[in-house]
Amino acid sequence: MTGDNPDKQSGQDGYTYAQAGVSIEAGNALVKAIGPLVKATARPGAGAEIGGFGGFFDPKAAGYTDPLLVAANDGVGTKLKLAIDYDRHEGVGIDLVAMCVNDLIVQGAEPLFFLDYFATGKLENGVAERVVASIAGGCKESGCALIGGETAEMPGMYAPGDYDLAGFCVGAVERGEQLTGERVAPGHVLLGLASSGVHSNGFSLVRRLAADKGWDLAAPAPFDAERALIDTLLAPTRLYVASLLPAIRAGEIDALAHITGGGLLENIPRVLPANAHAVVDADAWQQPGLMAFLQEQGSIAPEEMARTFNCGIGMVLAVTPANVDAVTQRLSGAGETVVPIGEIVEGQSGCTVRGSAGTWSAGEAWEATHLG
């Protein structure tokens, strides 16, 4: 049979993977481009080389004698949609790392190595390189080796320009030194560490508000004329590992709660024993301008704020009164903003957040309780 075959491209005898939308060359080029970024995250125990089928880590070389391994995995959520829509990819990798390593540090574990998963319909415009550079930066800041990952090009699975991220991290803590919350008791003081913004939770509500209220995200923020609103929303999640690890190893902290989805109300009880109830005083710190803006725009009740957003507190520590000054000085010296925000009292495991009239825009005194 002679003549043109309309089902094949001119000059080709058969179908190719590239015709189907997957470029092996683009994937190879990405691996080559990110190699130096990954290598820069090397640490004792890992050389941070990529290209093999798996990555090795040697806990003994990292200085551990009898470690327990702790693992965490997470994503960035719909914050990615804003990053994609506004071509802001330099921070979401830090978000990805932070959501994992901040969960490890609350167990008292040092993050050791990290693996990432980047999935898109088509590799293009250097976006993947920018994202992986951000991941490598977050790993380096957290003392964590980026030892591998997966880049998946899947035509038809994602809209043009869209991508998704997932991360997996393993940490270690010497046996007997892990933080379980068992040492927390009535009388412990709660210290809050300031967040850098919304972090990576609550963005489905943020995006709904932006659409319904017609925000101009490229315009200066109403609460910060020096920054565009989109930049305040996409500020990367704060990495707490480097500042917290010395205090943990010194035995000065008895429990930690990473304030993610569920806010203050639902995350603090996760690290409390049965007879300990957290009472948080919302008057203890000033609500950040971004949080006040979100609350005002959505007419969000204080109780809903306390279970949806971090409200300016990204990490909560439980310490004995005798350790408050030492921990505050140590963390302040490491660049953290430390605020006493409450205490542990006798009662069922849970958390109560309360404020006086005018706190968080409430017209009268308010209180919200979540039982663990």
Side-chain angles (χ1 to χ4, degrees):
M1 182 175 180
T2 61
D4 293 334
N5 184 343
D7 293 329
K8 297 182 180 180
Q9 291 187 1
S10 176
Q12 292 189 343
D13 295 328
Y15 290 99
T16 67
Y17 212 6
Q19 287 177 23
V22 178
S23 172
I24 300 296
E25 289 77 10
N28 290 338
L30 174 61
V31 172
K32 184 176 181 180
I34 66 177
L37 300 171
V38 173
K39 192 171 184 178
T41 70
R43 54 151 293 150
E49 299 282 352
I50 59 171
F53 287 95
F56 287 98
F57 193 93
D58 182 356
K60 187 174 181 180
Y64 288 89
T65 56
D66 185 20
L68 293 174
L69 297 182
V70 186
N73 71 302
D74 213 330
V76 180
T78 61
K79 186 176 187 177
L80 286 178
K81 282 297 294 179
L82 287 179
I84 292 166
D85 291 345
Y86 286 83
D87 193 31
R88 303 288 213 279
H89 309 285
E90 286 74 18
V92 292
I94 294 175
D95 287 307
L96 182 68
V97 173
M99 294 301 289
C100 294
V101 300
N102 286 346
D103 277 355
L104 292 183
I105 198 67
V106 303
Q107 314 293 318
E110 175 191 12
L112 299 178
F113 61 87
F114 192 91
L115 298 99
D116 69 276
Y117 176 78
F118 179 100
T120 187
K122 181 177 176 59
L123 290 170
E124 57 186 10
N125 300 327
V127 170
E129 288 94 325
R130 292 159 68 187
V131 172
V132 176
S134 178
I135 293 171
C139 285
K140 192 171 183 180
E141 184 176 339
S142 302
C144 182
L146 178 58
I147 66 170
E150 169 70 5
T151 302
E153 195 174 21
M154 300 187 290
M157 283 291 290
Y158 298 90
D162 281 354
Y163 62 86
D164 199 10
L165 290 175
F168 174 79
C169 193
V170 171
V173 58
E174 292 288 8
R175 191 178 305 273
E177 296 179 7
Q178 64 269 26
L179 296 182
T180 63
E182 293 179 352
R183 300 199 304 261
V184 177
H188 269 66
V189 175
L190 297 176
L191 300 178
L193 303 187
S195 66
S196 55
V198 183
H199 285 184
S200 295
N201 296 99
F203 272 90
S204 292
L205 177 54
V206 169
R207 291 172 50 246
R208 176 67 180 271
L209 286 173
D212 289 353
K213 302 296 181 178
W215 296 347
D216 181 357
L217 297 184
F223 47 87
D224 186 351
E226 300 299 317
R227 302 172 69 193
L229 180 56
I230 185 64
D231 292 329
T232 66
L233 292 172
L234 291 181
T237 305
R238 188 164 182 81
L239 294 157
Y240 296 103
V241 172
S243 58
L244 284 173
L245 198 55
I248 292 170
R249 288 178 167 168
E252 296 169 346
I253 299 174
D254 292 324
L256 289 161
H258 183 201
I259 308 305
T260 54
L264 294 160
L265 273 176
E266 297 188 14
N267 281 290
I268 298 176
R270 296 169 64 182
V271 298
L272 298 181
N275 66 331
H277 189 92
V279 177
V280 175
D281 178 11
D283 292 302
W285 73 98
Q286 184 174 0
Q287 187 184 40
L290 173 55
M291 296 295 168
F293 171 74
L294 294 173
Q295 183 176 19
E296 183 273 328
Q297 288 286 293
S299 300
I300 304 172
E303 298 92 332
E304 185 67 15
M305 290 292 295
R307 66 166 44 91
T308 302
F309 298 111
N310 63 56
C311 299
I313 302 296
M315 187 74 74
V316 174
L317 294 60
V319 302
T320 63
N323 283 331
V324 168
D325 288 343
V327 170
T328 300
Q329 291 177 17
R330 185 192 292 273
L331 294 178
S332 297
E336 302 291 353
T337 299
V338 187
V339 183
I341 64 169
E343 62 179 342
I344 298 296
V345 299
E346 186 80 31
Q348 183 178 345
S349 175
C351 179
T352 296
V353 182
R354 60 170 65 119
S356 61
T359 305
W360 296 4
S361 301
E364 56 186 19
W366 57 274
E367 180 176 297
T369 297
H370 173 82
L371 298 179

